[in-house]
Structures are given as C-alpha cells and as structure tokens.
Amino acid sequence: MSQATNEISTSGTEGSLPLLSHERNWTPKALFFSSAQAAVATWCFIIGGYVAFYLPAVQGSIVMIASMLAGMLLVFLATVPMATRYGLEAVRSTRPVFGTRGSLFAVALTFLFTIGWGTTLMIFSGKSAALLLTTLGLVSQQSAPTVQTLSSLACLLVVWALISRGPGILRRVGVLVACSVLALGVMVIVVIVAKVGWPALLGAKPSAANGNKLLDYTTAIELMLATALSWWPYVGGMTRFSKSTRKSVLPATLGLGLALSVICLIGLYTGLVFPDSGGNPLPGLLDIGGIWLALPAFAFIIVANVGTAMVGTYTAALSLKQQPAIDARLSWRGATTVAGLTVAVVIVFLAEPFYANFGTFLTLSAVVFGPVCGLQIADYFIIRKQRLDLDGLYSDRAGSAYWYWKGINLAGFASMAIGVVVYFLLLDPVTFASSPVFAFTTATLPSTLATAVSYVVLVRLKRKARELQAPLSSSKSS
C-alpha cells in the first residue's frame, strides 16, 4: 500500500495525473508562503522601475496595488476553481477550450513564459553579483561580463539542485524564503526612504511621462495587469494543492498580489530617485551608503530569485509532463534538467538582448494570457456551468469529450485570435505605440472581454447548427 501511495503521489505532483483529495494537503498558510516565495523577486524592481517612467510615488503606489489585485481576479476566476475542485494544473485545464491536441499550445506558452521569467531572475542575479564584486575591487571591469554569466549559472545550478529533488521542497522552504525576502524587502524600502527623504521622494518626477496624465495612468495600469496575468501558469500549479477555492483566494491574493505590489515599491521609488537605475536599488545604495547598505539588498536579490525560480522551474517542468508521451519518457529530474538547460542557453548566448527587451516580454504576457483567461472564464462558468468531464481531460482518444475537430477546438483558437487582434489594435506590445482609444482603456481588459464574448457566441452557434442538423439526419435515415 505504501508503494502504491508513493507512485500515485509522484504521478500527481510530478506528472500528468490530477491530484487526489489526500494529496491536496496545503494549508492556507502553506499556500500563502509558497505564493509569496514565487512572487517576491527582482522582477519587482524592474516592473516598479517601468511604472516610475510614468507615475510619481504616491500615484504609482496606489495604481500598482489596485491594478495588480484587479488582474489577479481574472487569473483566479480562470484557474483556481478548476485547480481546487479537480486537482488540475494550468495546462491540463485548457483542454476544454483548446482541445486534446490543441492544449499543446498551452504547454508551449507555459514553458516559454515561465522559462522567460526564470531567465530574467538569473540574469539579474548575475548582474548584481558582478556589480558588487567590481565595486569591492575583487574583479576588474573587463572581467565583469564573464563574472555575470558565471554568477547567473551558479544561481541556476542551486535552483536545479533544489527543485530536481521534487516539488515538496517548495513547501519546506517556502516559509523561510518568503519571510526572509519580505523582511529584507521592507528593510530596503525603509533605507531608501530614510536616506533619500520623503520630500525628495515625493517630489521626484517620472522620467518618461508624456504629458497626458490619463495615458500615463493607463500605461502603468497595463503594465501591472500584464504582471498579474503572467501568474496564470503559477496559480494553477500551486492552488491545486489546496482543498477548496474559498481557502485559496485570500492566501494567494496576499502572497501573489499584495506581496509583489509591496516589493514593487522598491523599484518604483528607486526608479524615481535614481532614474538610470532601471529600478535596481543596488547601485543607488552603493552610492548613498556604501557596501554595508548594499549587502542586505544583494542578499534579498539572491534569496528571492532562487526561491522564485524554483517555483518557475517546477511549473515549466510540470507543463512538459502534462503530455503523457513526454511524461512516460521523462523523469522529474529529466524535466527540470530540460528547463534548466533552456535557461542556461539564454544566459550564455542571449542574456543582454533578452534582458533589454523585458518590457516587451512583460506586455506579451497580457497579449496571450488575457485571452486565455477570457476563454476559461467563459467556458467554465457560462458554457459548462462549472462541470468538467474528468475522463475527457485525461483521454487522448479520438471521440473523447474534448477531442472536437482532430483534437483541436477551433472555436477556442478563433476566439483567442480575436482577442489578440483587439489587443494589437489598442497597443503594440513591441513598440508600445498605442491608439487614441488606449488613453481611455487598457488593452488587456477589452482583449479579454472580446475573447470571452466571441467564444460564447461561437460555441452557441455551433450547438445551434448541430441541433438544426440532427432532425435532418433523422429524417434522411427514416
């Protein structure tokens, strides 16, 4: 019996099967700390630094927290009810909207975006280590790029060594990592405010404000909505360990939404008082207080990034194993190795261009995950009335519940395409060029709504066509 239980547990937490009731054993406290561990990382600095381009301290603080929580609502509605009721992670939950084979699209999205976030964290860690070592005089400026690459790879190795042992490590280290990074993060905020002073902070002007306040607000809101939507793969992967939706909402909201927003304040305030910092407090702390102020910030960067990258690597590896053919051939250690090697390739060959285009990567999260959330919300609550066919979710046979046309749900992909087009009509995520309408609304919300409405209309038209065709088929046969 013990052996069977272990096999089931491994299949559920590290493979393609749903989690059984006894495997969903995370308390609200465990979910909060794991969520905070995933959320609080140095991408907060970069995101806050982007908001500092458009809004001053007070307005930016309010907009970041409010927008993040609003975006999290979409992600929760799309993923948490299915995750907690059926034990599904995010990729598997897309079979009803994309189809049995079409869900491979969700595998690719989840893997690429979680790898992208993890790569950002490792590059940031390497840059911070290189800056610290050159400031201390331990390495020369000429050696800094090499030190950066080696430091990034060293952090990645630590992440892989921990998470390759299994996802149980997330719950065991979650409390330690979350408490450490939150405490260090708050300390960095206090130090920045104390050293710079409230008057200087409140008087700092955003460096890229375009003069249209409404457009500045909309742009900042869009950045935070994109950040929230990028949590789509993570939320499904973690909340499925919880037994109920009700017990998941508050800890995940506080851990993923509020905790991230608070730490983003570091990037916002740093970006305002040190406009060339990109939100990274380390250079500014070195300038105003020397090495003893910078060391706690560096400790925050390393601990937070390792903790968050572990969750990202887990989610990326789990997405690969949602396909039975891959799951049967690739062990958990093998899946985490694939994820780690992918990050390593980017670090070695594409670190600078990837890091320089972080803003585009962030907004692309909204381009794809906004429509995905719209699809899932419409499908689960309106079309299926919160009921899924569990056998269909795990069957790859033709004719199963979510087979549709050759394994692909054309209505889902057509609706998603409509949502993406609506987004691009309002905002170009590559150039950040916007239409006049964008000043009055974000691109994410209309895109998500257009996808949901299109999907409901297409599915109902398809059902009506079947109903009209059925009597004709019956009369012909008689």
Side-chain angles (χ1 to χ4, degrees):
M1 181 174 179
S2 174
Q3 182 179 357
T5 302
N6 288 337
E7 289 174 357
I8 292 172
S9 177
T10 300
S11 299
T13 60
E14 301 176 8
S16 59
L17 296 181
L19 288 182
L20 302 178
S21 179
H22 72 274
E23 294 177 297
R24 291 180 241 159
N25 53 13
W26 281 18
T27 63
K29 183 172 113 175
L31 180 58
F32 165 75
F33 283 117
S34 294
S35 299
Q37 172 191 346
V40 179
T42 52
W43 53 43
C44 299
F45 300 162
I46 310 173
I47 294 164
Y50 271 91
V51 174
F53 289 152
Y54 304 101
L55 296 178
V58 174
Q59 294 90 326
S61 300
I62 296 171
V63 163
M64 284 200 302
I65 295 173
S67 303
M68 187 68 196
L69 295 178
M72 290 302 298
L73 176 62
L74 294 176
V75 179
F76 286 152
L77 291 174
T79 60
V80 175
M82 285 186 282
T84 54
R85 183 172 184 178
Y86 295 98
L88 305 178
E89 56 73 64
V91 168
R92 185 69 60 168
S93 71
T94 63
R95 284 202 167 194
V97 295
F98 289 137
T100 301
R101 290 177 174 170
S103 63
L104 281 169
F105 176 67
V107 173
L109 284 183
T110 300
F111 186 80
L112 291 175
F113 275 90
T114 51
I115 288 299
W117 282 109
T119 302
T120 301
L121 298 180
M122 297 298 98
I123 294 172
F124 196 106
S125 299
K127 284 180 174 292
S128 300
L131 174 63
L132 194 64
L133 292 173
T134 52
T135 302
L136 292 172
L138 298 177
V139 298
S140 64
Q141 288 289 347
Q142 292 77 12
S143 303
T146 303
V147 172
Q148 174 188 317
T149 300
L150 294 176
S151 299
S152 298
L153 293 174
C155 286
L156 178 61
L157 183 61
V158 172
V159 170
W160 176 83
L162 291 171
I163 198 61
S164 64
R165 299 179 180 181
I169 190 71
L170 297 178
R171 186 174 60 172
R172 291 195 293 272
V173 305
V175 174
L176 176 63
V177 172
C179 290
S180 300
V181 298
L182 287 173
L184 287 167
V186 170
M187 188 198 72
V188 172
I189 293 176
V190 171
V191 167
I192 291 174
V193 173
K195 288 292 182 180
V196 174
W198 275 114
L201 179 60
L202 296 178
K205 302 296 183 184
S207 58
N210 52 41
N212 184 336
K213 288 187 177 180
L214 185 58
L215 183 58
D216 288 334
Y217 275 101
T218 307
T219 304
I221 291 170
E222 182 64 32
L223 287 168
M224 295 311 297
L225 287 175
T227 301
L229 289 169
S230 69
W231 285 126
W232 179 84
Y234 294 80
V235 173
M238 288 188 293
T239 58
R240 73 188 192 122
F241 287 96
S242 177
K243 286 188 178 292
S244 75
T245 301
R246 183 176 60 84
K247 292 181 179 180
S248 302
V249 172
L250 184 60
T253 300
L254 294 176
L256 289 171
L258 189 59
L260 180 140
S261 302
V262 169
I263 302 303
C264 278
L265 297 179
I266 298 175
L268 173 65
Y269 300 160
T270 301
L272 287 169
V273 296
F274 304 107
D276 296 328
S277 66
N280 185 355
L282 197 59
L285 291 175
L286 281 169
D287 288 340
I288 63 177
I291 191 65
W292 297 110
L293 278 184
L295 280 176
F298 180 70
F300 168 90
I301 289 169
I302 299 303
V303 175
N305 286 358
V306 168
T308 301
M310 284 169 56
V311 180
T313 304
Y314 164 71
T315 305
L318 190 64
S319 70
L320 290 177
K321 291 175 72 64
Q322 292 313 297
Q323 296 305 309
I326 298 176
D327 189 21
R329 293 172 174 80
L330 201 62
S331 67
W332 178 254
R333 185 172 287 260
T336 54
T337 300
V338 170
L341 287 176
T342 306
V343 174
V345 169
V346 179
I347 288 172
V348 174
F349 298 105
L350 299 169
E352 292 308 318
F354 181 87
Y355 194 81
N357 290 283
F358 175 80
T360 299
F361 173 75
L362 180 61
T363 48
L364 283 174
S365 298
V367 172
V368 294
F369 291 126
V372 168
C373 288
L375 280 176
Q376 290 192 291
I377 292 169
D379 183 78
Y380 187 69
F381 289 100
I382 299 175
I383 301 299
R384 305 191 189 278
K385 310 297 183 186
Q386 302 184 55
R387 292 191 177 278
L388 298 179
D389 186 319
L390 195 58
D391 290 336
L393 287 169
Y394 289 89
S395 174
D396 293 328
R397 300 190 314 272
S400 57
Y402 305 121
W403 184 254
Y404 303 112
W405 177 78
K406 297 184 178 180
I408 298 172
N409 185 1
L410 296 179
F413 280 101
S415 302
M416 175 133 186
I418 291 171
V420 171
V421 169
V422 168
Y423 192 103
F424 273 87
L425 288 175
L426 294 171
L427 178 68
D428 186 331
V430 178
T431 64
F432 240 63
S434 61
S435 73
V437 180
F438 180 74
F440 302 95
T441 179
T442 69
T444 294
L445 297 180
S447 170
T448 303
L449 181 61
T451 304
V453 171
S454 301
Y455 184 73
V456 172
V457 170
L458 288 175
V459 170
R460 288 182 174 173
L461 286 175
K462 185 177 178 181
R463 286 181 177 178
K464 190 169 290 187
R466 283 179 178 173
E467 291 170 1
L468 291 173
Q469 190 177 7
L472 294 175
S473 300
S474 299
S475 61
K476 286 181 182 179
S477 61
S478 60

